Amino acid sequence: MERIICLGIGYLLGNFQTAYIYGRFHGVDIRQMGSGNAGTTNTLRVFGAKAGLIVFVGDVLKCAIAVIAARLLYGAARPDIMYLLMLYGAAGAILGHNFPFYLGFRGGKGIAATAGLIAAFHPLFIPVGLILFSSVFFTTHYVSLGSLLVYAGFMIQLVVMGQTGFFHMEQTALLELYAVGGFLTVMAYVKHRANIGRLLRGEERRTYLSKKNEV
């Protein structure tokens, strides 16, 4: 039951579709603009850096709040699976972001929301995620490549920390933790399948923070 509650809370929070709401305040449906994705990168390309930052912060916060809510609800009662429940909360938020029910289940790709997971899950995940993303983005300007590398790094770090006893969880719970993390990783790669194809063909669009991007 705890898992369902955390997943449900996360999903409801994830349905706060920041990019879509921002676009509607400006009289457009962000899903009809640029790449058609309701996320930070497309908002940045369509509206500029300020809008991209607003959407990024909103998407980070909703997932971080889901993770924190799971910790507050069950951290004391279920310390044996606290990190698993936190990951369920994040999974719900990312699913809500990617598949919002009131938008016909057509949302974003969940990367900014995943940044909220990394920020709130455990401090040790933050520097790894920052280094992986920034090193790729500021050398190639491919958001998609940096995002996919972050997910791969998160999954590897999750398993390494789990197997070294960092989460203080039984092996059965750890395997479930890895399964949820693996599901999120696979979903991210599936959502980015078009980007992966363009990267392989050398056709992926680059994103810049200091100058106008091509929409």
Side-chain angles (χ1 to χ4, degrees):
M1 180 59 72
E2 298 101 332
R3 293 163 174 79
I4 295 173
I5 291 173
C6 291
L7 197 66
I9 290 172
Y11 184 78
L12 290 176
L13 287 166
N15 268 263
F16 185 84
Q17 240 301 337
T18 321
Y20 177 80
I21 293 170
Y22 185 93
R24 280 304 186 193
F25 269 113
H26 291 78
V28 300
D29 184 343
I30 190 67
R31 300 172 303 164
Q32 305 300 324
M33 307 285 289
S35 66
N37 182 58
T40 297
T41 303
N42 195 35
T43 303
L44 171 66
R45 290 172 178 160
V46 173
F47 292 109
K50 180 180 178 181
L53 179 61
I54 291 171
V55 170
F56 176 77
V57 170
D59 288 346
V60 168
L61 283 176
K62 67 187 180 186
C63 191
I65 291 170
V67 173
I68 294 169
R71 181 193 288 270
L72 291 175
L73 282 172
Y74 297 110
R78 295 302 309 270
D80 55 320
I81 58 169
M82 181 182 70
Y83 285 101
L84 176 60
L85 296 176
M86 289 163 61
L87 192 57
Y88 269 108
I94 294 168
L95 284 168
H97 174 82
N98 291 354
F99 308 105
F101 70 89
Y102 65 98
L103 295 178
F105 301 99
R106 182 184 165 203
K109 296 180 180 177
I111 298 303
T114 300
L117 159 61
I118 291 173
F121 192 70
H122 193 280
L124 287 179
F125 284 86
I126 298 174
V128 175
L130 282 174
I131 291 169
L132 288 174
F133 182 81
S134 60
S135 61
V136 172
F137 176 73
F138 288 110
T139 55
T140 68
H141 295 282
Y142 290 138
V143 173
S144 57
L145 183 59
S147 301
L148 294 172
L149 187 60
V150 166
Y151 249 112
F154 173 79
M155 191 64 211
I156 293 169
Q157 188 176 4
L158 191 71
V159 174
V160 170
M161 290 177 66
Q163 291 307 116
T164 54
F166 197 88
F167 299 127
H168 305 289
M169 293 167 59
E170 297 291 335
Q171 189 63 31
T172 302
L174 282 173
L175 291 176
E176 187 177 352
L177 183 79
Y178 305 154
V180 177
F183 167 76
L184 293 176
T185 302
V186 170
M187 181 170 64
Y189 276 74
V190 170
K191 293 286 284 184
H192 282 80
R193 60 191 181 278
N195 302 84
I196 294 171
R198 289 194 294 269
L199 284 166
L200 293 173
R201 296 190 301 270
E203 299 172 355
E204 179 71 326
R205 285 170 291 190
R206 300 177 191 270
T207 302
Y208 300 90
L209 299 178
S210 57
K211 63 180 182 179
K212 185 172 177 60
N213 295 277
E214 292 183 5
V215 178

